[in-house]
Amino acid sequence: MTDDTDAGENAPGQPATGDEESDPLAGLAAQEGWHVDGSAARVHYSGGSDRYSIEYYAPSECTLYWKVPPEEAGETAVPVGRDTVPGPLRERVQEDLATAGIDPAVDERSL
């Protein structure tokens, strides 16, 4: 899986600000590709022909995985079960959560 993100407000390699310990979303924002919007953070990944959007919601401490169709398909993203997501992507998300000070076990929570 490769990171397929735009270099927006949270550019890759952005130095840590120290806020990560008190604000897990700030910790995710410091991770490559993550963008914070309100009380949620999102990152996009692509690998081969698969594209995913992963969202972390701070109020409920959970992650959601969305399968994103090819741009030319004109379809909308759909939520997918974790068991359908490639292992390396799940591991990367869990590592990012842990680095941001979020218990990576939240990635296992069922909704």
Side-chain angles (χ1 to χ4, degrees), residues 69-91:
E71 288 183 40
E72 64 274 1
E75 300 171 14
T76 58
V78 295
V80 294
R82 289 175 182 85
D83 59 336
T84 67
V85 177
L89 173 55
R90 296 272 320 277
E91 291 169 15

Side-chain angles (χ1 to χ4, degrees), residues 4 44-46 49-53 66-80:
D4 183 31
H44 299 272
Y45 290 103
S46 66
S49 63
D50 294 331
R51 297 180 343 146
Y52 292 91
S53 177
W66 298 79
K67 181 92 180 240
V68 180
E71 288 183 40
E72 64 274 1
E75 300 171 14
T76 58
V78 295
V80 294

Side-chain angles (χ1 to χ4, degrees), residues 1 11 13-14 17-18 21 26 28 30 32 37 51 57 63 66 72-73 86 102 105 110:
M1 293 272 143
Q14 178 180 8
T17 62
E21 289 181 29
L28 282 176
E32 183 178 347
D37 183 16
R51 297 180 343 146
Y57 293 92
T63 55
W66 298 79
E72 64 274 1
I102 300 167
S110 296

